[in-house]
Amino acid sequence: GEQWQAMTMNKGILHFWGVWASIVAFDPQNSQHLYYSGGFALYETTDGGEKWSKISDHTFGTVDKFVVHPLDGNILYKINAEPQVQLYKSVDGGRTWDMSGPPSDRAEPSTNLWIDPNQGNVLILSWYGSGADTYVSADQGDTWKKIIPHCESIAFSPDNEGVALCSKSSSGESLLFKTSDFGKTWNRMRFSQSPNRIYTLLISPHDTETIFLGGSAGLFVSRDGGTSWEAHNNGLGTARLELFTH
């Protein structure tokens, strides 16, 4: 991080000021292959950002969320922010798109989408706002099932695609749940650090018993699969956290 350079300016990408936020997504199988969703178009680079080529226009509107399949960089998912919030899937690297996911009549771009990092078969989609719902697909988005609880944050196990954690807020309290059967059933986990809204979850790829939780009360770590938690907040204050591991 000592030096940074622009990856998009004057390299084949048209910039539109005042449009929806840009999104960059990496191909997990090829670090030189990236997608850039900015303005009203989707771009691609295969040389780490030296040159970009336009793949397609966002004919369905601007994009709110964008994810790449962990094993196949040609399988993409995007959630449109307007004119109607909806999930779309591409199997040809973004050249063409088909509607996927449960139908949505929502007008507000309040959504989130997670894909399991193992085989890429399991997707979890949450609509927020009034009538918040969460859906799970175990077949790459072909079919969907509404699940309980409604999930605000998700963490997939790095070595078992059927295992995931889910957090939700209820009456000022954050609740934590776990599934071991691809979202069919959820069991509540112990987490008593309240009031604390959970913003992000992460299961360590080195030890799946180690779970990191970032919330309004800071960072908490469990080293026994969620049975007990310790605060690790020295110097963090109350900043909202995003969690990454190496």
Side-chain angles (χ1 to χ4, degrees), residues 77-227:
Y77 300 88
K78 68 175 180 177
I79 298 177
N80 279 33
E82 57 182 10
Q84 178 176 310
V85 180
Q86 183 61 53
L87 174 66
Y88 292 88
K89 177 181 179 180
S90 174
V91 296
D92 57 6
R95 274 71 182 174
T96 60
W97 296 86
D98 293 311
M99 188 179 296
S100 181
S104 170
D105 59 359
R106 297 171 184 270
E108 74 276 8
S110 299
T111 60
N112 217 332
L113 177 68
W114 301 271
I115 187 169
D116 86 81
N118 303 288
Q119 300 298 317
N121 293 319
V122 182
L123 295 158
I124 297 180
L125 170 68
S126 280
W127 306 125
Y128 298 127
S130 58
D133 296 317
T134 298
Y135 298 83
V136 64
S137 172
D139 52 15
Q140 298 190 29
D142 291 337
T143 60
W144 294 83
K145 179 182 178 181
K146 185 177 178 179
I147 62 173
I148 303 295
H150 166 64
C151 297
E152 297 174 347
S153 182
I154 288 285
F156 282 101
S157 170
D159 61 5
N160 187 335
E161 65 175 343
V163 175
L165 305 180
C166 158
S167 71
K168 66 168 293 186
S169 297
S170 176
S171 302
E173 180 184 13
S174 277
L175 308 179
L176 193 59
F177 299 85
K178 179 178 180 179
T179 181
S180 300
D181 54 10
F182 299 91
K184 295 179 182 178
T185 60
W186 296 83
N187 297 313
R188 185 173 174 181
M189 299 176 65
R190 179 180 299 174
F191 182 71
S192 59
Q193 305 293 332
S194 295
N196 178 31
R197 181 164 185 173
I198 300 172
Y199 294 124
T200 183
L201 295 166
L202 182 67
I203 301 175
S204 171
H206 309 293
D207 176 12
T208 55
E209 289 293 294
T210 299
I211 304 169
F212 299 91
L213 182 156
S216 57
L219 176 66
F220 294 83
V221 180
S222 173
R223 302 190 186 279
D224 52 16
T227 301

